[in-house]
Amino acid sequence: MGHLSITEENYLKSILKLSEHNHTKIGTNEIAYEINISAASVSDMLKKLADKKLIIYQKYYGVKLTKTGEQYAKNLVRKHRLWEVFLTQKLQFSWDEVHDLAEQLEHVKGDDMINRLEKFLGNPKFDPHGDPIPDNKGNIVVRKQQLLIELKKGEKAVIIGVKDTAATFLQFLDSIKISLGTKFTVIGVVIYDHSMQLKLQDGRELMLSQQVCSNIYVSS
Amino acid sequence: MGHLSITEENYLKSILKLSEHNHTKIGTNEIAYEINISAASVSDMLKKLADKKLIIYQKYYGVKLTKTGEQYAKNLVRKHRLWEVFLTQKLQFSWDEVHDLAEQLEHVKGDDMINRLEKFLGNPKFDPHGDPIPDNKGNIVVRKQQLLIELKKGEKAVIIGVKDTAATFLQFLDSIKISLGTKFTVIGVVIYDHSMQLKLQDGRELMLSQQVCSNIYVSS
DNA sequence: TTCGTAATTTAGTCTTGTCTAAAAAATAAT
DNA sequence: ATTATTTTTTAGACAAGACTAAATTACGAA
Ligand SMILES: [Mn+2]
Ligand SMILES: [Mn+2]
Ligand SMILES: [Mn+2]
Ligand SMILES: [Mn+2]
């Protein structure tokens, strides 16, 4: 557990992120795109991370986190999400403002501090975007969730998360007064463009585009 | 106000610190000693900081913060001390544990966050060691304070700060149950070694060495 | 005033993390 | 099976920040 640089931490975190949707090995280009760096630089860094046994790396064949690397990366995600909760719950930031700050705060060293922060926040299990917060051993609560787009006419559900966390998307949701916890029924699906019409618990009716519906997680 | 690296920030902060006790220009060696770096490296960095108009620097003749540099450095101190308050008040750390964490947290960018943190903490004016917290314009409350060592027999006072913030010193004070706010009367001063005998408000009597008394700030 | 020491700067390297351009390997297309 | 294309790695450079050793400058003591 010798301590890593911020740069190394960011590589691990993006490899973890890419691993989540992509079960096979991660390519150099994918990482390069994710953290906005040239593929050549990524190639260099992968060698270093492999030397430190944080990733399994075979030239030309992509990369995978080792158990140690995964542990480290999950701890970063834990820190990131707990800080996001702090920023929204305690400092009254909105959910579209917290990511960049958490991106910095996640690199502050001190596991004891994070455990205390977790307790101070009341042991939250999800961050402001509905993403699960790993515990201090890296375990993550799995929730039964699906994308709004997958629902059929007549189904009832509640919004529990967002897939896209871009500020513009979050601000759009704010503007139409949709947030985590909003309950609704699907009252129509347009065949032509797959827009969905929802009836919210408060009585309002709303039409959402396919793109929006593909970026909202719900639970029934 | 282009943003500075952590390294540059640390230089500014130590120059400010040295300026407080030393009203003349600050020498290269002093800075080198303060941040544990070779004088040669300091010399290099001073050139860069001067180029950025953060310090006034004349080769071989020492250095002084410009108004901009001072503003920047004071903002760092502000951040450092507010985070220290957060760590003690909200996360229940003791006063000897917070410095190193604050040393990292002070470098997180985001003045809005700091202003919100300040409000969340109830606009504290002093940190856990009794040091004043600059406001968001860099203004610092000045308190009438003196060192315990300067008191005479018979004088009453209250402890409001510590000059040395080393963990060992703070832990020693904890061990003899002395903290900020402790009230006492000087009931004797030993001529031989300048130890002082105090009678605390709770009735306990205590003998403190000259070195200890030289590192405690009091107010009458 | 001159000399010797201490403080400071310069010169030359090193490491980390980045880049562009070029080479090499893997994969897709014919 | 060959070729063309894409992906990945290597080569060579650069900036930031650090170091050690050597050269300068300042300054206190004789
Ligand atoms: Mn990061
Ligand atoms: Mn989040
Ligand atoms: Mn610092
Ligand atoms: Mn302090």
Side-chain angles (χ1 to χ4, degrees), chain B:
Chain B
M1 272 187 240
H3 99 154
L4 304 186
S5 69
I6 291 179
T7 306
E8 291 169 318
E9 290 187 340
N10 283 336
Y11 275 91
L12 290 184
K13 201 164 61 107
S14 54
I15 295 169
L16 177 65
K17 183 175 176 187
L18 293 167
S19 311
E20 274 157 11
H21 294 282
N22 192 334
H23 252 262
T24 116
K25 292 235 178 106
I26 310 304
T28 302
N29 267 346
E30 291 176 80
I31 300 170
Y33 180 79
E34 175 72 21
I35 57 184
N36 237 303
I37 251 174
S38 76
S41 303
V42 173
S43 219
D44 280 349
M45 180 57 84
L46 293 182
K47 269 177 259 166
K48 294 177 201 164
L49 293 175
D51 287 347
K52 297 191 180 181
K53 315 265 189 231
L54 295 162
I55 59 174
I56 310 278
Y57 171 52
Q58 236 198 318
K59 266 191 199 175
Y60 292 102
Y61 284 90
V63 88
K64 208 185 69 170
L65 291 172
T66 61
K67 206 67 206 156
T68 314
E70 189 185 330
Q71 203 59 38
Y72 206 110
K74 280 186 176 160
N75 194 233
L76 282 165
V77 169
R78 166 175 163 77
K79 290 157 78 179
H80 184 104
R81 292 180 182 167
L82 283 170
W83 280 117
E84 284 191 344
V85 173
F86 169 73
L87 293 168
T88 52
Q89 299 296 298
K90 303 297 183 181
L91 301 194
Q92 320 296 337
F93 277 100
S94 58
W95 66 345
D96 59 299
E97 299 174 307
V98 296
H99 182 79
D100 292 346
L101 288 167
E103 205 60 44
Q104 298 181 67
L105 287 161
E106 74 189 6
H107 299 291
V108 174
K109 316 288 182 199
D111 285 346
D112 182 32
M113 174 177 68
I114 293 301
N115 294 336
R116 285 171 186 247
L117 179 63
E118 180 178 42
K119 188 176 168 198
F120 174 62
L121 297 172
N123 302 298
K125 298 290 175 262
F126 301 94
D127 85 0
H129 312 102
D131 293 312
I133 299 173
D135 71 17
N136 64 12
K137 287 172 181 69
N139 304 311
I140 299 178
V141 173
V142 282
R143 257 185 319 185
K144 232 181 65 200
Q145 64 178 28
Q146 58 189 146
L147 288 171
L148 171 49
I149 195 78
E150 300 169 44
L151 295 186
K152 303 272 179 288
K153 177 172 172 178
E155 292 193 83
K156 283 171 169 337
V158 55
I159 293 176
I160 58 168
V162 289
K163 187 172 170 192
D164 181 1
T165 57
T168 49
F169 180 54
L170 300 176
Q171 284 161 11
F172 166 69
L173 294 180
D174 283 343
S175 76
I176 57 173
K177 302 222 162 47
I178 276 188
S179 59
L180 302 194
T182 299
K183 296 195 174 86
F184 64 91
T185 309
V186 179
I187 57 179
V189 178
V190 178
I191 309 287
Y192 176 62
D193 66 353
H194 216 293
S195 293
M196 299 179 83
Q197 194 171 21
L198 310 185
K199 173 156 187 149
L200 305 188
Q201 200 176 30
D202 66 11
R204 288 157 55 222
E205 290 188 8
L206 214 59
M207 184 74 100
L208 298 178
S209 73
Q210 177 179 33
Q211 196 188 344
V212 168
C213 297
S214 304
N215 281 296
I216 293 178
Y217 289 117
V218 301
S219 152
S220 8

